Amino acid sequence: MVRFEIFDARELLSFPGGDNSTDTVFGGIHFNLTTLEHWNYTYYSNGTLSNNSRCYLTYEPYQPKLLISNGTFINATKCYSAVDPIGVRGYVGIGFAAVYAIGLMLTLTALAKHGRLYLPKEKRFYPIGRRWQWYWACFVCACALISLFTNIDIDRYHVVELPIIVTSFFWFLICQGTIALVWESVRHWGSWQERQFIDPNPFVYRTDDRRSKVEFYLPLWFYFWTWMNFFLVVPRSWSFVEMQRSPEQTLAKAIPTATGARFKAGAFCLVIAWFTIVFSLRHSIYHYKPRNRGVFNRTLGLVRAIPLRFVLTIPLAGALVAYQTLISFNWTFSVMRYGGVVPVIFAWGYGPSLLIIFVQVAYGFASPNEDKALLAQRRQRGDLIDRELGIVKKPAWWKRVRGDHLLSMRDKISKNVNEVGGKRGLRARFEDEAEREQGDPTTTRNDGIEMNNMSQKNNPRVDRAGVANLNSTEPRRYDGKSERRHNERIVESFAGVLFPNNPSHADAERARRIAEISQDGPPPYRDEERGRSSRQDGANNGQRNGSADTTNSIAAPPQQVRSMLDV
């Protein structure tokens, strides 16, 4: 590919004279002038030899050693080589790069501190939300290191070439990353304030109100303008930056493109993004900080509510945006200018981002991890509740004095089980207590207030023959193997305790009926024809008894129903 270049020279020079009309000398070495003219080589006052396709240095010790008839030089040094000494711009760039490297290491330390989790993840507050500010800080440091280290070769290249392109390209990425860094720090500060409100009361804020909608759409609005700056500035041909090899070339190609409409529009996008940061800070203060009445009190409360780091970082970000806006209109102080004003380029172009990095690092080391801060707030709230309830916690040495720290988990569980009742269940403990009170007459107590005791002197019992023993005080116990019957006896015992005066008590009613049936009386009347029996008094009254005798009903003739009483 043929490259058309104009070098940093006020005028073209004629070839130096040699031994004859077809000879020229560069650095004490003779070359064939006819061959140079045949391949359209031109000699410039900056000591370069070029045919608009190739460029070589002609001064010592970089002059070519031999020229072949096909126009090829042997042992020649190209113009695009770092052969000159490091200039002021290179030395200042090295110093800034070293400081940015320190900032990168400190940023990684702060990221490890604040990015660590001590609480379970929450859908409303993702862990990456508090890490983004540190990610952008690492991005800014990385871009700054690339830009500043390639900045060294801007002065070392004898002819302007690739280093100034790389330096300018990554500087614009530094601007975008710095604005995103400040935005994420402000946005997450508001999120942290909200989290502290929601932790004690999750329903203190609604999730569908205007506040939540603003906080949802505001990041989309900010990143839209930031990425617009990226697409307007970055994806383009950057060859115009190296077109500064002569004043004519600079005026014709470098300045018009560097101050063109795309760079102006990109700077305008960053201005909108910066105002979005300011609005986000005002929104968080309005919703998560105490409100004051009156214009003076509201203004004073707003100033007091702004964290100190935002008092520093937001104006510094504004200064960086102002510098990018300035160089889109004024070429004199531009970072893309070869031989530009070094103090302005580094103090105004690289200084704000560096200061923002160290302000963030200072905040990272001074503030605690948010999960730990939230746990501390929970402990404070718990201590306050304990004081209100009168609960006094035992000191830390209490467990060591009692020897609890020597117990295994199994021993601790066994100890807790024994404290609440040992191995037996609640029903078994009630049963033991009831049997103990039944067997010990000295424990008999009846105060007549709520329940009787478990003494059996008031409850008649029935022996195994089915005869009620009304005078027995021995408790009726079930000695069989039926679990169901055992449970029924327990329920009956508790029912007797809860309802001692109820005439429908099961044991008393059963004993009464058995005693009534067992009384002596006339033999029952037996109807031989119909195969059933009844009591004499019942037959006289025309009533049926409950006999189930069907011995003679099989051989007897079929019954004839005369009325409903025979059914």
Side-chain angles (χ1 to χ4, degrees), residues 111-127:
L111 172 61
K113 175 183 177 181
H114 289 272
R116 190 171 301 162
L117 297 180
Y118 296 93
L119 290 174
K121 297 180 181 179
E122 301 179 22
K123 292 184 178 180
R124 198 165 181 175
F125 305 99
Y126 291 99

Side-chain angles (χ1 to χ4, degrees), residues 135-179:
Y135 291 156
W136 281 116
C138 294
F139 174 80
V140 170
C141 291
C143 292
L145 289 176
I146 297 174
S147 178
L148 291 169
F149 278 121
T150 56
N151 189 77
I152 301 172
D153 289 333
I154 293 178
D155 294 333
R156 297 192 63 202
Y157 268 57
H158 191 71
V159 178
V160 180
E161 229 259 338
L162 183 63
I164 196 169
I165 296 179
V166 177
T167 297
S168 303
F169 177 86
F170 280 96
W171 181 85
F172 281 97
L173 292 183
I174 290 173
C175 292
Q176 298 159 11
T178 303
I179 296 299

